[in-house]
Amino acid sequence: MDDRDYMRIALGLAVRGEGHVSPNPMVGAVIVKDGRIIGEGWHQRYGGAHAERNAIASLSESAEGAVMYVTLEPCCHYGHQPPCTDAIIDAGIRRVVVASSDPNPLVAGNGTRILREHGIEVTEGILKDEADRLNGIFFHYITTHRPFVAVKYAMTADGKIASHTGASRWITGTVARESVHRLRKRYTAVMTGAGTVLADDPLLTCRIPEGRNPVRIILDSKLRTPLSSRIVSTAHEVPTIIATCSSDYELRKQYTDKGCNIIAVESDMDGHVDIPSLLDELGKMEIDSILSEGGGRLSWSLFRSGCVDKVYAYISPMILGGRDALTPVEGDGVDTPNEAFRIRNAVVTAIGDDFLLEGEVERCSQAS
């Protein structure tokens, strides 16, 4: 086995922290001596020991002279945990192989520099692309201080999210819907608009074994969300944020009494919650990622604001038709195809009888 083989093992370990470590990155580490793996670890939960220290704690023998493979540059500062560089140096590891550099200004090359200053050989960039993709959310959040935003929707082959009567259950099959719950585990928060709550009364929880419920964020400019809705009724059990432009203290208190966290946000030119201002506030709350599951109006607001980083489009092989049937993205739209939001690095996957198209969003010139 070579460096790439061991790094793949480390990447496999890193994924096991998905849904449990945000806003920290997913990191895996493997310690190898004389061609044998003698220690493995990953970052298991936010605030807990980092991958490097977990790998060292699992050692079956001394790491003196061993090689450590780690998916992200080791930290060199005190946070919730002490510096991993100290643990690596103390363990007597002679070489460290790193996949991704850490963009965190508190690390950003200082981790590898400290290791080299202590006589440890450092090799960087092994499986860098794979490691960078794994922590795309972390890289975005640590550099912009705003959540990474993904828009998810389910539509028919003719681009409808509901029939002309408004019926939408179910556009996609069971397997695709289970896939959505895995996304809810992956993202820190799930977002929708008051219109979707009024129409569908969703719960927006993660219903898979060992899943973690995301923080629920409702965009409700005028506080129209019913106090009897399932989201408000369960706000004491599942963290729930309502972003509003309403200054009605008594009305807001009715929601806070039920466990909701109200965030007052300035309005945009249309009198709705200003998306960039909201993302700034959510970033301060250490919400590093959002999966938007709203209707076409919310999706267009996110696109128009230039805040969408990724799209998950579940496509069902059915035709609904209907001139007035709802579509995934509404609003005014762009004027010409040349101004369209493009999806790059797109991947299409068969999920049961349906298909998932996912990819990164390239912002068009109209985004502001």
Side-chain angles (χ1 to χ4, degrees), residues 243-285:
T244 185
C245 305
S246 172
S247 59
D248 187 330
Y249 172 80
E250 292 300 325
L251 180 56
R252 286 162 53 171
K253 188 175 183 300
Q254 294 182 59
Y255 292 93
T256 56
D257 286 347
K258 287 189 171 284
C260 298
N261 181 3
I262 297 289
I263 297 181
V265 184
E266 61 185 73
S267 61
D268 61 16
M269 64 179 68
D270 298 321
H272 301 139
V273 168
D274 184 73
I275 299 291
S277 298
L278 173 61
L279 294 183
D280 287 337
E281 292 302 312
L282 295 173
K284 294 174 186 176
M285 298 170 65

Side-chain angles (χ1 to χ4, degrees), residues 7 30 79 98 132 154 168 189 216 225 313 324 347 367:
M7 189 61 77
V30 175
V98 177
D132 286 354
S168 61
R216 300 177 301 193
T225 300
D324 300 321
V347 176

Side-chain angles (χ1 to χ4, degrees), residues 40-333:
E40 295 182 341
W42 68 96
H43 187 30
Q44 298 178 11
R45 61 179 179 81
Y46 177 67
H50 293 180
E52 298 94 324
R53 288 184 175 270
N54 282 332
I56 290 170
S58 77
L59 284 168
S60 58
E61 61 183 87
S62 169
E64 190 74 33
V67 179
M68 173 179 280
Y69 295 85
V70 61
T71 58
L72 185 68
E73 179 182 1
C75 68
C76 54
H77 65 286
Y78 282 87
H80 291 287
Q81 296 291 323
C84 288
T85 49
D86 289 355
I88 294 169
I89 293 165
D90 293 343
I93 290 170
R94 69 169 178 83
R95 179 177 176 237
V96 175
V97 181
V98 177
S100 293
S101 299
D102 191 338
N104 186 338
L106 296 173
V107 185
N110 289 317
T112 54
R113 176 184 58 79
I114 288 172
L115 294 177
R116 289 187 173 109
E117 287 176 351
H118 283 79
I120 296 174
E121 179 187 349
V122 178
T123 303
E124 300 180 78
I126 302 299
L127 298 188
K128 174 178 166 49
D129 290 345
E130 291 91 329
D132 286 354
R133 283 196 296 271
L134 178 68
N135 279 313
I137 287 174
F138 170 74
F139 291 167
H140 174 89
Y141 177 67
I142 204 69
T143 55
T144 68
H145 309 294
R146 280 184 175 180
F148 180 98
V149 177
V151 169
K152 166 257 150 186
Y153 51 82
M155 69 178 188
T156 61
D158 59 338
K160 309 297 184 182
I161 62 172
S163 70
H164 72 92
T165 65
S168 61
R169 295 185 178 179
W170 293 102
I171 294 292
T172 53
T174 302
V175 180
R177 297 199 298 275
E178 289 173 352
S179 169
V180 172
H181 286 284
R182 289 194 293 274
L183 286 180
R184 290 178 184 173
K185 175 187 174 184
R186 181 184 309 170
Y187 283 79
T188 299
V190 60
M191 175 185 286
T192 195
T196 296
V197 178
L198 286 164
D200 300 334
D201 194 21
L203 197 53
L204 299 180
T205 53
C206 176
R207 297 187 286 277
I208 59 174
E210 300 181 3
R212 172 199 54 81
N213 285 326
V215 176
R216 300 177 301 193
I217 302 170
I218 313 302
L219 272 63
D220 189 353
S221 305
K222 300 178 181 178
L223 287 181
R224 299 182 298 142
T225 300
L227 292 168
S228 60
S229 65
R230 294 201 295 168
I231 282 178
V232 175
S233 299
T234 57
H236 281 296
E237 290 79 47
V238 183
T240 303
I241 296 170
I242 298 181
T244 185
C245 305
S246 172
S247 59
D248 187 330
Y249 172 80
E250 292 300 325
L251 180 56
R252 286 162 53 171
K253 188 175 183 300
Q254 294 182 59
Y255 292 93
T256 56
D257 286 347
K258 287 189 171 284
C260 298
N261 181 3
I262 297 289
I263 297 181
V265 184
E266 61 185 73
S267 61
D268 61 16
M269 64 179 68
D270 298 321
H272 301 139
V273 168
D274 184 73
I275 299 291
S277 298
L278 173 61
L279 294 183
D280 287 337
E281 292 302 312
L282 295 173
K284 294 174 186 176
M285 298 170 65
E286 295 192 333
I287 292 178
D288 66 341
S289 58
I290 297 170
L291 179 68
S292 175
E293 297 190 43
R297 283 181 294 179
L298 174 57
S299 294
W300 173 245
S301 295
L302 289 166
F303 276 106
R304 183 182 62 182
S305 300
C307 296
V308 181
D309 300 292
K310 188 164 186 173
V311 165
Y312 297 96
Y314 290 86
I315 304 170
S316 169
M318 68 168 68
I319 304 293
L320 285 178
R323 179 182 57 232
D324 300 321
L326 298 176
T327 60
V329 184
E330 298 178 8
D332 293 332

Side-chain angles (χ1 to χ4, degrees), residues 1-10 126-127:
M1 294 176 67
D2 61 15
D3 286 351
R4 294 170 63 88
D5 296 320
Y6 290 120
M7 189 61 77
R8 286 192 184 94
I9 295 172
I126 302 299
L127 298 188

